Amino acid sequence: MGDQVLIGYSFWGFLGTGTHDTPDGGRSHRRPLIDGLRARGHEIVFLQHNRDLDEAGHDLTGTYRWDAGLPTIDALFLEWRWPIDGRNTTVCGTVGHTCDLHRQQHLLAHYTDAGTPTLLWDKDQQLPAHHRLRAMNTVTVCEAALHPTSGAVRLLFPVDDHTLDTADPDALIGLSRNLPLVYIGNQYDRDEAFHQYFAPAARSHEHVVAGKWTRTERWPHVNYLGRLGFDHVDRLYRQALSTVLLLPDRYQRTGQMTQRLAEAVLAGCLPLTPTTIRDAARFTPPALHVTGGDHTATMITELRNIAGSARHADLLRGCLDQLDLFRLSRQLEVIDRVLDAHAGCVAT
């Protein structure tokens, strides 16, 4: 493959903080991943719209390169997009239309179908099991799960090495944590996990839920804040003693942990972890595992009793240690191995 690869990178989101009302779970890890690839000598050109500039007014063109055409590249990297009715399946130019899916189709037709090595990162587990791309020998499917589907490669959501190495649990537990419980994230496919693990604990502990939650009739006692700007996420975690790691069933089955784990832990917020998550002990210390809502409530009471103590620091230190699994350098090695495996397909 050579020391340097020109990667065409397709993502529908932001490198900066983005806009207040737009979901994008990649904001905490996308830029470290891009910067890490560049630090390893690869060149990057972004192939979707520059949403940082167009929507957020954040001009990063002095640092990064976007191209709305079809430039010559060595490899294609896709953060996989899927059909969303009423959004990216509508006619271009109609109200509410986003062109992420159409653009991805153009990229696949021009590059992948013509033999360009393609790394397809299925971050949301939306690629059908029998999709034609899985059978192409120039395509590598990556998933952010401990147990990816057959033929796929594990590529977890990265945590910057320096950020992880310099996190200080003693300093973090010394922050004033006046909020016992928080959940930050959207409702998508989390109703049952929320009902089982979070809502019962919310009856007995002060709490907030931040994110897009539109069907809340089952839990009238829960305090919903609505969406927060991305720059407020870390601040809220730093006020909170604990959160609960709520995952859709498909993530629980494959051991796919979202970026919320790292965001919480790096801010000193302890992640209570449902035991229904496959390989939960790979993500957090067993002392933070919960079996249901009542157990969650009891655990929060216990955490409040030890807040600021050496035991509190030890629990957080254990969480930080287990984030090593997500270390950026580990994920960059995965990508380089994939690129090297396609070396014979790329002109260097």
Side-chain angles (χ1 to χ4, degrees), residues 18 23-24 27 48 57 67 133-134 173 184 212 240 242 266 276 278 294 316 340 346:
D24 175 21
R27 275 175 281 194
Q48 294 272 0
D67 194 318
L133 291 171
R134 292 187 185 272
I173 68 160
I184 303 176
K212 184 180 180 180
S242 70
L266 290 170
T276 48
R278 186 174 179 181
D294 291 340
L316 184 56
D340 287 343
V346 179

Side-chain angles (χ1 to χ4, degrees), residues 38-325:
R38 296 174 78 206
R40 289 203 169 202
H42 303 307
E43 292 184 44
I44 307 291
V45 55
F46 299 125
L47 300 177
Q48 294 272 0
H49 293 308
N50 183 350
R51 298 182 69 197
D52 286 279
L53 182 61
D54 296 344
E55 298 178 35
H58 190 187
D59 189 355
L60 295 171
T61 56
T63 304
Y64 304 103
R65 173 188 165 199
W66 279 262
D67 194 318
L70 297 168
T72 299
I73 60 175
D74 296 322
L76 178 64
F77 190 122
L78 301 171
E79 291 188 15
W80 184 249
R81 304 302 300 165
W82 62 96
I84 302 174
D85 289 340
R87 188 186 303 175
N88 59 15
T89 59
T90 53
V91 176
C92 296
T94 57
V95 175
H97 176 77
T98 62
C99 221
D100 54 305
L101 186 62
H102 290 167
R103 176 62 169 168
Q104 180 175 269
Q105 291 167 341
H106 294 158
L107 298 175
L108 288 168
H110 182 81
Y111 295 114
T112 307
D113 290 345
T116 300
T118 299
L119 190 156
L120 190 162
W121 198 10
D122 186 18
K123 299 167 68 173
D124 297 271
Q125 295 189 15
Q126 294 288 345
L127 184 70
H130 301 292
H131 197 286
R132 68 178 184 89
L133 291 171
R134 292 187 185 272
M136 296 180 66
N137 59 13
T138 54
V139 175
T140 298
V141 175
C142 295
E143 297 173 358
L146 295 183
H147 302 276
T149 55
S150 177
V153 172
R154 180 195 300 174
L155 180 60
L156 305 180
F157 299 127
V159 178
D160 178 71
D161 288 41
H162 178 73
T163 301
L164 185 54
D165 292 339
T166 57
D168 184 346
D170 294 309
L172 287 168
I173 68 160
L175 299 176
S176 176
R177 298 190 179 272
N178 54 12
L179 183 63
L181 176 63
V182 69
Y183 182 75
I184 303 176
N186 296 325
Q187 187 169 7
Y188 310 141
D189 301 323
R190 287 170 170 82
D191 288 37
E192 293 313 309
F194 186 82
H195 187 71
Q196 183 175 356
Y197 291 99
F198 189 98
R203 293 187 181 278
S204 54
H205 292 285
E206 186 179 354
H207 66 277
V208 294
V209 173
K212 184 180 180 180
W213 288 73
T214 58
R215 304 175 308 279
T216 60
E217 297 80 7
R218 295 172 71 183
W219 316 289
H221 64 286
V222 172
N223 182 21
Y224 304 95
L225 294 182
R227 275 183 170 154
L228 293 181
F230 180 72
D231 53 348
H232 294 161
V233 169
D234 184 69
R235 277 181 263 168
L236 186 54
Y237 276 132
R238 286 175 181 269
Q239 297 171 29
L241 178 62
S242 70
T243 187
V244 183
L245 300 176
L246 303 177
L247 300 178
D249 285 346
R250 66 185 186 279
Y251 291 3
Q252 293 195 54
R253 290 192 299 269
T254 60
Q256 174 162 325
M257 184 54 62
T258 72
Q259 72 283 353
R260 301 302 179 193
L261 171 61
E263 291 173 356
V265 171
L266 290 170
C269 179
L270 291 173
L272 300 177
T273 307
T275 55
T276 48
I277 296 174
R278 186 174 179 181
D279 276 348
R282 299 283 302 278
F283 299 120
T284 60
L288 293 174
H289 294 184
V290 291
T291 57
D294 291 340
H295 191 190
T296 301
T298 300
M299 283 291 299
I300 295 170
T301 298
E302 294 176 1
L303 294 178
R304 297 178 75 172
N305 290 334
I306 66 168
S309 70
R311 174 58 177 158
H312 187 185
D314 286 343
L315 285 171
L316 184 56
R317 188 173 291 108
C319 293
L320 288 165
D321 288 345
Q322 290 190 240
L323 286 183
D324 185 75
L325 181 68

